[in-house]
Amino acid sequence: MTVPSAPTPSSKEHPVSPVQATVIVNADIPGPVISRHLYGHFAEHLGRCIYGGFWVGEDSDVPHIGGIRRDVVEALRELAVPNLRWPGGCFADEYHWRDGVGPREQRPSMVNTNWGNVEENNHFGSHEFMELCDLLGAEPYVNGNVGTGTVREMSEWVEYLTREGSSPMVELRRANGREQPWRVPFWGLGNEPWGGGGRMRAQTYADLARQYALYCKDHNGNVLYRIAAGASEDDVAWTEALMRAVDELGRGPFPALPFEAISVHYYTIGGTWTDKGSATVFDDEGYWRTIAAAQHIEPLLRQHVAVMDRYDPQRRVGLVLDEWGTWWDVEPGTNPGFLYQQNTMRDALVASLHLDVFHRLAERLTMANIAQTVNVLQAMLLTDPETGALVRTPTFHVFEMSKVHQDAVRVPLHVRAPQAVHDGPSGELPTVSASASVAGGSCHVSLTNTDLERSVEVELELRGAAPTRLSGRVLAPGSVRAFNSAEHPEQVAPAPLEVVATATGCRFTLPPHSYAVVEAS
């Protein structure tokens, strides 16, 4: 697929005057650490994410490492992927882990009824996933089966992966070729139990989450971070039911946390669930609807945080946004159950807006996982089944540019840009977003300009810092509709940003629909 060369609907014959913005960073006032796990990823048995994305098999002509596609691993290592969620998603609540261990030729096949009704051979299972995480340097996030599974099944999976010494599950793991246990910190207690994970009521699931979590044990120093499956979007009643479980178990004679975190899911769409719109063909109105939906993530998360704060003012329980991203109609000619979509600069801006919000909520938000890593929804990478080409998407570049914030200390940032607003059907939307952190003697500032026509002349004041070196990178294609493909893999790619030193910091210009990261050290 080639990039259209025709002018976009937002192009103008005459230039538009830039907007002035002052961004003030207090680099000497430390805030919370921005956990690297806010940059997590998600790999579900869905479409060509696992099979054809990560896994090509040991007999494949595609260069691989034990069946895992080599170029995918090498590209993702550029992102410093902190954690990877697997095997779902909806798939998790129909996945039985024992079917995915042992000699591959002896593993039973299954039908993926959630995504495309295709048959899977279970060649990618627990051992293969753990090898993938090792190759990526990522911590595993295993999502257990509550929907069709049992407490015993999940408990034994934890034991199989993490226990040493001698036990039935340890002996089974040894028989399957692995002597030493793995470290697997993150465990999901089911997925979307209000929907495809069981159609449960909140209190029903809260009771199950308490039960499942109890039997997911810490083995040999592998301390579990158990994540209860939380709400869809703004269903704060679901969050409240889970937090009541936290409160109740914390009041008894033997107080304990039933789980360490609860999740929430939120997808950004510019249309409706039945008519989401095209990933690449959209008008300005559709663009602004998408930006408004992306900006809604902050008030939505703050609603859940407020509920959690009432029951847990010490903030012992984390909030995990383990599914987020854009969701469009699938690319024409592809299997509708595979959720394959292209990825434009519009998607990249949705990602950059989200990351700023994650930084602002770092006191409570402990993890986030974009959906999904390869070939599905808002993917980092696309693989071409015909040519074998690997494509880095615009969203990939946002994550690569932003990785400097992982495990850095958030510092206060204030934006003064009264003219940087878009007035549309959704009301006034701010068009400049920013966040900042410090680590290793450097201050990094991320900035997004969502305006389709106006550039932003930024005066960056760095208070409490005296940098001697300034640099920047910017992601700013000529069109917000630009995307990368096998034919045009660098249509959207970072470029140097011209940064001019001033007495108080620096000055630079953000082009329309762009994302930039400035470093001062």
Side-chain angles (χ1 to χ4, degrees):
M1 187 180 294
T2 58
V3 178
S5 58
T8 65
S10 61
S11 59
K12 298 287 184 179
E13 294 182 2
H14 303 290
V16 181
S17 299
V19 171
Q20 307 298 315
T22 299
V23 177
I24 302 168
V25 176
N26 295 107
D28 58 346
I29 303 178
V33 171
I34 298 170
S35 172
R36 67 187 184 280
H37 293 297
L38 296 175
Y39 286 76
H41 297 264
F42 177 26
E44 184 170 5
H45 287 243
L46 197 174
R48 292 192 299 110
C49 183
I50 298 297
Y51 297 102
F54 283 112
W55 181 257
V56 293
E58 292 182 312
D59 298 329
S60 175
D61 293 333
V62 176
H64 61 85
I65 307 166
I68 297 171
R69 186 165 166 156
R70 182 183 296 273
D71 57 357
V72 167
V73 168
E74 291 172 348
L76 291 176
R77 285 185 68 87
E78 298 174 28
L79 303 184
V81 173
N83 70 76
L84 186 62
R85 181 179 182 232
W86 171 86
C90 295
F91 182 82
D93 282 305
E94 292 189 5
Y95 181 71
H96 300 282
W97 69 268
R98 285 175 182 259
D99 293 341
V101 299
R104 292 194 194 101
E105 65 276 8
Q106 296 177 19
R107 298 179 190 178
S109 295
M110 67 169 293
V111 176
N112 189 338
T113 58
N114 284 288
W115 305 116
N117 213 37
V118 295
E119 184 176 312
E120 296 194 9
N121 58 20
N122 272 314
H123 283 192
F124 189 93
S126 294
H127 289 247
E128 291 77 16
F129 173 66
M130 296 307 301
E131 177 62 20
L132 171 61
C133 289
D134 286 345
L135 291 171
L136 294 177
E139 294 191 72
Y141 173 5
V142 174
N143 210 128
N145 182 344
V146 172
T148 65
T150 64
V151 174
R152 178 177 178 176
E153 181 179 15
M154 193 183 300
S155 177
E156 290 183 340
W157 200 4
V158 175
E159 180 183 336
Y160 181 91
L161 291 175
T162 66
R163 188 172 178 82
E164 60 183 2
S166 180
S167 77
M169 292 301 102
V170 171
E171 297 307 321
L172 178 60
R173 186 187 70 232
R174 288 190 178 121
N176 289 331
R178 174 77 181 193
E179 172 66 30
Q180 295 300 317
W182 291 280
R183 181 178 177 273
V184 188
F186 303 115
W187 285 83
L189 307 174
N191 174 78
E192 297 186 356
W194 39 264
R199 291 186 179 175
M200 302 179 202
R201 291 173 296 183
Q203 189 57 55
T204 302
Y205 173 73
D207 290 340
L208 279 176
R210 289 166 55 157
Q211 180 187 14
Y212 272 75
L214 177 64
Y215 293 100
C216 290
K217 307 284 189 180
D218 295 343
H219 295 289
N220 307 110
N222 183 80
V223 178
L224 301 188
Y225 192 80
R226 298 160 300 176
I227 302 168
S232 170
E233 300 188 349
D234 59 357
D235 185 2
V236 294
W238 190 281
T239 297
E240 185 150 19
L242 292 175
M243 292 307 298
R244 282 199 299 267
V246 173
D247 182 62
E248 290 165 2
L249 288 180
R251 292 177 181 272
F254 304 102
L257 282 179
F259 30 76
E260 286 68 40
I262 63 175
S263 69
V264 63
H265 291 175
Y266 179 77
Y267 286 96
T268 296
I269 59 172
T272 65
W273 279 108
T274 55
D275 183 14
K276 302 177 189 69
S278 167
T280 56
V281 180
F282 52 90
D283 58 16
D284 290 359
E285 182 180 348
Y287 168 80
W288 286 113
R289 283 198 306 269
T290 304
I291 296 301
Q295 292 183 356
H296 182 61
I297 189 62
E298 183 161 9
L300 182 145
L301 290 178
R302 288 190 183 277
Q303 290 180 57
H304 291 284
V305 168
V307 171
M308 297 176 74
D309 283 349
R310 289 206 307 272
Y311 290 91
D312 176 34
Q314 298 82 20
R315 293 184 169 174
R316 299 166 299 163
V317 179
L319 180 60
V320 171
L321 181 67
D322 57 9
E323 289 189 27
W324 69 273
T326 55
W327 195 327
W328 309 112
D329 294 337
V330 301
E331 289 298 298
T334 65
N335 187 322
F338 283 10
L339 304 189
Y340 176 83
Q341 64 184 42
Q342 250 297 347
N343 191 304
T344 69
M345 189 62 198
R346 174 177 64 169
D347 299 275
L349 297 175
V350 169
S352 66
L353 292 172
H354 274 64
L355 293 174
D356 281 342
V357 172
F358 298 168
H359 299 169
R360 288 195 284 272
L361 298 179
E363 291 93 340
R364 176 70 82 172
L365 193 66
T366 58
M367 180 188 291
N369 302 77
I370 189 168
Q372 292 184 15
T373 317
V374 188
N375 291 329
V376 173
L377 298 176
Q378 192 173 353
M380 302 293 112
L381 304 171
L382 303 177
T383 64
D384 190 321
E386 302 298 327
T387 65
L390 180 76
V391 175
R392 290 164 173 79
T393 66
T395 300
F396 174 98
H397 292 304
V398 167
F399 270 71
E400 188 277 325
M401 294 167 66
S402 302
K403 67 183 179 182
V404 293
H405 295 295
Q406 293 188 21
D407 285 341
V409 175
R410 190 192 72 201
V411 292
L413 177 146
H414 307 279
V415 176
R416 290 205 303 252
Q419 294 181 324
V421 293
H422 172 77
D423 192 6
S426 302
E428 284 194 349
L429 298 175
T431 57
V432 174
S433 176
S435 60
S437 68
V438 295
S442 295
C443 178
H444 292 99
V445 184
S446 293
L447 304 105
T448 300
N449 176 18
T450 59
D451 199 293
L452 287 172
E453 300 166 1
R454 298 184 295 176
S455 60
V456 181
E457 294 181 349
V458 178
E459 192 79 23
L460 179 60
E461 294 185 15
L462 294 168
R463 298 180 180 177
T468 59
R469 188 177 69 87
L470 295 163
S471 63
R473 299 166 71 203
V474 63
L475 196 66
S479 169
V480 76
R481 297 160 182 82
F483 57 86
N484 294 332
S485 64
E487 297 84 2
H488 301 277
E490 299 294 323
Q491 186 76 17
V492 184
L497 176 68
E498 183 179 354
V499 180
V500 178
T502 65
T504 58
C506 60
R507 183 184 302 117
F508 52 88
T509 299
L510 285 178
H513 48 77
S514 68
Y515 173 67
V517 176
V518 173
E519 178 177 347
S521 58

